[in-house]
């Protein structure tokens, strides 16, 4: 039988049954397999993919929606991948157009690598910011901040959700409520019995990713990162909004090195909602 044209292959929803195929696609493009992260995104978000007639996936991406059920305020697009053997043939463009059309008037955001940025600009996305990826073994040091941090408990979850919605600008309950099971650590900063910030460390290959990182101020963000680092033997990895210059400088002094920059892009809005001054790092760039 003749091989179907790539342009006619159907785009379908992905599920957890596609986890291995998604990880294989990541590996095909030289990315880590990141099965743990794929599992979160395929359950908290919506995956879309194109099957390869020869097996596996031609392409995939994930959309994570935030806000009221059925009436999202924001959609985050991530993990946009096309198999190397099918690259540069318009498959990524077709998949992205399908996703953008399916989201209707819902504003969208994504983090773009330098290679991916031209495609997203062609589709109408605009650069509104940048994030710097840092990786390394954290070296403790410096004066004690006096900021109290502790492990989060089940009783903290309502307060975490309220703070997260206030800072992020929309409700992320389906994502944040998965953190206790997804992350190896979930910690809060507390002042006078109130939560002033929270963060998590979740396993990704040989590192612990720090994110989300939401904090009242830079000193609180530092205390939260240091509290995570003190409880892991793994290197840390995080993606920090470049406007947080003081935190970036501090993290580099503590052993984390810059490895990449991604452009933060939006579609249908001129800037992300919420309060960027308290939003230091995303859970993952794939979920906005």
């Amino acid at each position: 039988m003749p091989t179907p044209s790539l342009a006619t292959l159907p785009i379908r929803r992905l599920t957890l049954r596609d986890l291995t195929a998604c990880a294989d696609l990541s590996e095909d493009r030289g990315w880590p397999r990141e099965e743990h992260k794929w599992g979160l995104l395929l359950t908290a978000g919506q995956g879309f993919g194109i099957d390869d007639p020869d097996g596996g996936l031609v392409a995939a991406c994930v959309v994570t929606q935030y806000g009221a059920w059925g009436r999202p305020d924001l959609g985050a697009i991530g993990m946009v991948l096309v198999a190397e053997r099918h690259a540069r043939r318009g498959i990524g463009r077709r998949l992205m157009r399908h996703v953008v059309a399916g989201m209707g008037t819902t504003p969208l955001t994504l983090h773009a690598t330098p290679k991916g940025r031209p495609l997203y600009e062609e589709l109408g996305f605009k650069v509104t910011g940048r994030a710097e990826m840092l990786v390394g073994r954290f070296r403790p040091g410096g004066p004690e901040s006096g900021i109290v941090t502790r492990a989060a408990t089940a009783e903290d979850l309502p307060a975490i959700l309220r703070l997260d919605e206030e800072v992020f600008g929309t409700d992320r309950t389906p994502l944040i409520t998965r953190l206790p099971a997804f992350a190896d650590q979930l910690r809060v900063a507390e002042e006078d019995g109130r939560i002033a910030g929270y963060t998590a460390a979740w396993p990704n290959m040989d590192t612990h990713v720090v994110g989300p990182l939401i904090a009242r101020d830079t000193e609180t963000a530092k205390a939260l990162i240091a509290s995570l680092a003190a409880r892991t033997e793994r290197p840390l990895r995080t993606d920090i909004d470049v406007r947080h210059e003081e935190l970036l400088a501090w993290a580099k002094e503590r052993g984390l090195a810059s490895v990449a920059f991604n452009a933060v892009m939006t579609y249908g809005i001129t800037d992300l909602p919420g309060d960027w001054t308290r939003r230091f790092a995303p859970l993952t760039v794939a979920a906005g």
Side-chain angles (χ1 to χ4, degrees), residues 132-134 137-139 141 213 218-219 221-222 225 238-258 261 280:
E132 184 171 2
M133 182 190 295
L134 304 179
R137 292 195 176 274
F138 184 88
R139 296 192 301 265
L213 177 56
T218 301
E219 291 305 311
K222 292 178 184 178
I225 293 175
T238 191
D239 297 85
I240 296 175
D241 186 319
V242 297
R243 291 172 289 187
H244 291 295
E245 296 177 358
E246 182 182 347
L247 184 64
L248 282 165
W250 173 85
K252 291 171 185 176
E253 289 171 1
R254 295 291 176 269
L256 276 65
S258 177
F261 287 89
F280 289 85

Side-chain angles (χ1 to χ4, degrees), residues 41 44-46 62-66 74-78 103 175 286-288:
L41 296 170
Q46 297 177 338
V62 178
V63 182
T64 309
Q65 299 183 33
Y66 304 118
L74 182 69
I77 300 174
M103 292 298 290
L175 191 70

Side-chain angles (χ1 to χ4, degrees), residues 75-78 80 96 108-112 120 125 263-266 285 288:
I77 300 174
V80 181
M96 281 293 299
L108 303 173
T109 185
L110 55 79
H111 284 64
Y120 304 132
F125 285 80
V264 180
M265 307 186 77
T266 58
V285 296

Side-chain angles (χ1 to χ4, degrees), residues 20 33 82 86 108 111 116 119 140 144 156 179 199 208 223 235 277:
T20 298
R33 292 183 63 83
V82 177
H86 298 302
L108 303 173
H111 284 64
L119 168 61
E144 292 290 331
D156 293 319
L179 277 179
T199 191
H208 266 132
T277 66

Side-chain angles (χ1 to χ4, degrees), residues 41-190:
L41 296 170
L42 289 172
T43 52
Q46 297 177 338
F48 297 88
I50 300 173
D51 289 314
D52 191 328
D54 295 324
L57 290 169
V58 170
C61 73
V62 178
V63 182
T64 309
Q65 299 183 33
Y66 304 118
W69 178 257
R71 293 182 291 105
D73 301 316
L74 182 69
I77 300 174
M79 308 303 280
V80 181
L81 288 165
V82 177
E84 178 63 35
R85 61 192 177 279
H86 298 302
R88 295 169 294 280
R89 297 169 68 181
I91 303 302
R93 182 178 296 103
R94 179 184 167 217
L95 184 59
M96 281 293 299
R97 283 180 173 158
H98 174 86
V99 169
V100 171
M103 292 298 290
T105 59
T106 301
L108 303 173
T109 185
L110 55 79
H111 284 64
T113 64
K115 286 185 178 180
R117 178 175 163 178
L119 168 61
Y120 304 132
E121 289 180 327
E122 177 187 326
L123 295 172
F125 285 80
K126 307 293 184 184
V127 175
T128 57
R130 286 202 310 164
E132 184 171 2
M133 182 190 295
L134 304 179
V135 179
R137 292 195 176 274
F138 184 88
R139 296 192 301 265
E144 292 290 331
S145 66
I147 296 170
V148 176
T149 68
R150 60 171 174 80
T153 68
E155 288 73 23
D156 293 319
L157 192 54
I160 289 173
L161 288 169
R162 286 193 298 270
L163 176 63
D164 187 84
E165 183 172 356
E166 179 184 332
V167 173
F168 194 77
T170 186
D171 181 20
R172 294 199 291 177
T173 295
L175 191 70
I176 302 306
T177 52
R178 286 175 165 84
L179 277 179
F182 176 72
D184 287 343
Q185 296 187 58
L186 179 59
R187 297 187 64 81
V188 297
E190 194 173 45

